[in-house]
Amino acid sequence: MSVPALAVDPFDEDFLSDPAAHHAALRDAGPVVWLEPIECYAMARHAEVSKALGDHGTYCSGRGVGLADFSREAPWRPPSLLLEADPPLHDRTRGLMNKVVSLKALQEVRPLWSARAHELVDCLLEKRRFDAVTELGEAYPMLVFPDTVGVPSEGRDCLLTYAAAVFNAFGPRNAIFEQGEAAAAHAVGWVANACRRESLADGSWGASIHDKAVDYDLSEAEAERLVRSLLSAGVDTTVNGIGIMMLAFASFPEQWARLRAEPKLARRALDESLRWDSTVQTFFRTTTRAVDVDGATIPEGSKVVLFLAAANRDPRRWESPEQFDLTRATSGHVGFGHGIHQCLGQMVARLEAELVLEALIPRVAEIRLAGEPVRRLNNTLHALASLPVEILPA
Ligand code: OVV
């Protein structure tokens, strides 16, 4: 059986401005399709995306999880020792990171992170109208995460610039990629310096990575690169995760009422929000052998783009997938990925979202859109530049 070919470029402005509008065509064309403009295989159905993510032996990460094949072209930056690594190296680095970003570590930061959420919500309530992207989605993670990782206070805006460039670099070298790269030159240097042991605060997660490195047979340079992973993956993802969650509640006011009636649902809100509109839209894998997908063959050494966001709205898997529904069983969503590379920071993301909601629930009766949401185009992230909202005090 042959693989259907589509003339779809998932990184052009039309696609990136409204990815969900294009996902059904990708899913309906077949379990695996060939995207002519980027010369790459693609999967957009939940069953195939989830299976590929779960089969890291066949679908490897070491040749990059963007369009660029690291065995043919130089990576944009030295590869991540987690994201862009396969076992056995990946298991060692992940083992270390699991000890740093642990349940215990999360329990320790919870009181401080909760206090920060309440302070921020106090300010927002006074304003009533604010930008839920800059003044909440960005502001909250920036209030808690950089301090916890232990990076220097000066110049932290570089974290946002850097993360945008990292996620753009998984796509082709289009205008969005080049723009991100140009803007990031200074940020790359700032981040490299922030990852050094001398730059990191004692007792921080970053320092803890350095402290544990010897036990995991990792050099200081490798420890620095693991700190870089926290800074690469921990900012723009949660920024947009919170932003999109606010958009979800503004778009489905009955779900805000439902949450207020049952505040315990706050712990599930981010997962359903990610299922509904996934911050990380795509990641690539490279096949390590010829693989049969439902009768079609993908050759060895092929790049395959996995549409996490399309899988999360696949009607073959989800009932009323367009509906944001806090009571839905979200287990199996691939917004945090699946398998050995599943998001290391998912507990961080869930905690941030939960604490923001916990602070808002008792005090906010309604969240209303106060203007059109504005998208920020990124080759990987479904990102918002602006989300004007008005909150009505309870
Ligand atoms: C999941 C993710 C995104 C971007 C960068 C990294 C990880 C990293 O490990 O550097």
Side-chain angles (χ1 to χ4, degrees):
M1 232 172 65
S2 68
V3 177
L6 297 181
V8 173
D9 178 356
F11 301 99
D12 71 20
E13 290 204 5
D14 176 54
F15 195 104
L16 292 178
S17 309
D18 189 7
H22 299 271
H23 287 156
L26 294 179
R27 285 188 303 255
D28 294 346
V32 56
V33 299
W34 173 255
L35 301 181
E36 266 162 354
I38 58 166
E39 300 189 322
C40 177
Y41 290 93
M43 296 176 184
R45 296 184 186 176
H46 184 274
E48 282 74 25
V49 168
S50 186
K51 193 164 174 228
L53 289 170
D55 184 0
H56 59 270
T58 305
Y59 298 91
C60 79
S61 292
R63 287 165 71 169
V65 297
L67 182 60
D69 181 349
F70 293 176
S71 74
R72 291 166 214 251
E73 49 185 305
W76 178 74
R77 57 175 196 159
S80 162
L81 300 171
L82 290 156
L83 180 76
E84 294 155 333
D86 296 310
L89 170 64
H90 168 271
D91 298 351
R92 202 147 44 88
T93 51
R94 179 71 186 230
L96 183 155
M97 295 300 273
N98 285 340
K99 287 271 189 283
V100 175
V101 188
S102 64
L103 200 57
K104 180 166 162 282
L106 270 283
Q107 278 162 353
E108 276 170 22
V109 296
R110 189 181 179 115
L112 185 69
W113 286 21
S114 174
R116 291 277 177 278
H118 280 92
E119 288 158 21
L120 181 60
V121 166
D122 284 344
C123 296
L124 297 176
L125 268 157
E126 262 176 43
K127 292 186 149 174
R128 287 188 54 162
R129 269 171 182 260
F130 60 92
D131 191 319
V133 168
T134 53
E135 294 176 274
L136 176 59
E138 270 179 26
Y140 181 64
M142 289 300 281
L143 279 172
V144 296
F145 190 69
D147 275 342
T148 300
V149 179
V151 300
S153 318
E154 204 70 29
R156 284 181 178 181
D157 269 359
C158 285
L159 291 171
L160 293 163
T161 315
Y162 183 73
V166 166
F167 283 99
N168 276 327
F170 297 123
R173 283 198 166 266
N174 55 12
I176 300 169
F177 184 138
E178 304 286 349
Q179 267 166 16
E181 191 177 29
H186 170 68
V188 169
W190 189 92
V191 165
N193 178 61
C195 292
R196 291 164 56 231
R197 176 61 188 94
E198 312 86 271
S199 307
L200 294 158
D202 290 338
S204 65
W205 290 3
S208 170
I209 291 174
H210 280 273
D211 292 346
K212 290 180 167 56
V214 180
D215 291 344
Y216 286 81
D217 201 20
L218 293 164
S219 68
E220 190 165 330
E222 288 170 323
E224 288 176 9
R225 218 188 288 182
L226 290 175
V227 179
R228 193 193 69 175
S229 281
L230 290 184
L231 301 181
S232 304
V235 179
D236 218 359
T237 49
T238 56
V239 164
N240 285 291
I242 294 170
I244 290 173
M245 183 176 76
M246 295 306 289
L247 175 61
F249 281 114
S251 309
F252 295 87
E254 82 285 356
Q255 294 298 311
W256 183 252
R258 184 82 185 73
L259 179 62
R260 296 199 71 218
E262 201 179 334
K264 270 203 204 131
L265 291 172
R267 283 170 54 190
R268 310 165 58 156
L270 182 68
D271 284 273
E272 171 58 359
S273 177
L274 290 177
R275 188 214 54 81
W276 176 70
D277 188 356
S278 310
T279 314
V280 176
Q281 293 273 305
T282 47
F283 267 132
F284 293 68
R285 295 289 189 263
T286 313
T287 53
T288 57
R289 59 176 177 86
V291 52
D292 178 278
V293 180
D294 209 42
T297 301
I298 305 178
E300 184 273 328
S302 304
K303 278 280 171 180
V304 185
V305 54
L306 306 175
F307 285 88
L308 311 179
N312 281 335
R313 283 203 191 185
D314 183 356
R316 295 161 190 78
R317 172 65 178 77
W318 311 96
E319 210 168 293
S320 309
E322 320 296 314
Q323 173 70 34
F324 173 66
D325 175 3
L326 290 178
T327 60
R328 179 196 298 277
T330 58
S331 170
H333 84 79
V334 291
F336 287 127
H338 171 64
I340 64 165
H341 290 279
Q342 195 183 43
C343 182
L344 163 71
Q346 58 186 286
M347 291 193 297
V348 174
R350 267 189 213 109
L351 181 62
E352 287 183 12
E354 182 189 348
L355 294 176
V356 165
L357 292 175
E358 242 176 44
L360 289 168
I361 289 166
R363 305 182 61 189
V364 176
E366 245 179 86
I367 302 167
R368 287 188 188 158
L369 277 184
E372 275 300 301
V374 180
R375 292 284 170 190
R376 163 163 67 89
L377 298 192
N378 181 283
N379 280 338
T380 302
L381 301 174
H382 202 199
L384 289 164
S386 166
L387 179 66
V389 296
E390 177 176 13
I391 50 178
L392 308 189

